[in-house]
Amino acid sequence: LNIKNTEFYKENNSSVIDYYQSEADPNGDNLLNKLLYNYIEEKVYDQLRTNEQLGYLVSCQVSDIKGVLGFSFIVQSCNAAPQFLSERITVFLLSLIHISEPTRQAEISYAVFCLKKK
């Protein structure tokens, strides 16, 4: 399906949810998804909402629907098409790979600390 040449692609009022299903959690507590959420919640808002100004709503969330675990990113925008929003979410996720190891370890340790306090 090629939507780039259609009116739908040119529509700027849009919303996108990128959903990633997780593997089953052997402990049943969804801990890895919660850790991921603590690690990137602020980062995704900072990058997509504050820096790129993609939308008026930018968030991520953990889900457990009847035992199916997942993680989603939500962006609502009045100035970008859904495909573009989805591409920017992907670029954001790929950027996390390039964070230096010491920085990543420190940030993950802090995310674990915050999760323990909850």
Side-chain angles (χ1 to χ4, degrees), residues 2-13:
N2 183 358
I3 62 170
K4 288 190 176 187
N5 297 323
T6 65
E7 290 300 315
F8 175 74
Y9 186 77
K10 296 173 187 170
E11 174 60 54
N12 287 332
N13 292 307

Side-chain angles (χ1 to χ4, degrees), residues 13-47:
N13 292 307
S14 62
S15 180
V16 67
I17 299 174
D18 278 10
Y19 175 82
Y20 301 88
Q21 185 173 331
S22 306
E23 292 185 19
D25 187 347
N27 298 324
D29 58 8
N30 205 2
L31 187 60
L32 289 177
N33 274 352
K34 291 175 185 175
L35 179 60
L36 178 63
Y37 176 81
N38 279 350
Y39 178 67
I40 67 171
E41 175 193 22
E42 187 177 327
K43 290 179 184 342
V44 72
Y45 186 88
D46 248 11
Q47 182 58 37

Side-chain angles (χ1 to χ4, degrees), residues 5-111:
N5 297 323
T6 65
E7 290 300 315
F8 175 74
Y9 186 77
K10 296 173 187 170
E11 174 60 54
N12 287 332
N13 292 307
S14 62
S15 180
V16 67
I17 299 174
D18 278 10
Y19 175 82
Y20 301 88
Q21 185 173 331
S22 306
E23 292 185 19
D25 187 347
N27 298 324
D29 58 8
N30 205 2
L31 187 60
L32 289 177
N33 274 352
K34 291 175 185 175
L35 179 60
L36 178 63
Y37 176 81
N38 279 350
Y39 178 67
I40 67 171
E41 175 193 22
E42 187 177 327
K43 290 179 184 342
V44 72
Y45 186 88
D46 248 11
Q47 182 58 37
L48 301 182
R49 172 72 172 94
T50 306
N51 295 339
E52 296 185 34
Q53 298 182 357
L54 288 182
Y56 46 88
L57 184 136
V58 173
S59 67
C60 59
Q61 65 184 30
V62 174
S63 62
D64 181 350
I65 303 169
K66 295 187 178 184
V68 178
L69 306 179
F71 200 89
S72 57
F73 296 89
I74 303 158
V75 180
Q76 290 180 347
S77 176
C78 62
N79 58 11
Q83 184 174 353
F84 180 75
L85 298 174
S86 188
E87 288 170 3
R88 298 311 304 160
I89 291 169
T90 301
V91 168
F92 166 76
L93 290 172
L94 291 173
S95 75
L96 295 177
I97 296 169
H98 301 292
I99 297 173
S100 71
E101 187 62 28
T103 301
R104 186 180 309 127
Q105 287 301 321
E107 290 176 347
I108 289 172
S109 294
Y110 181 72

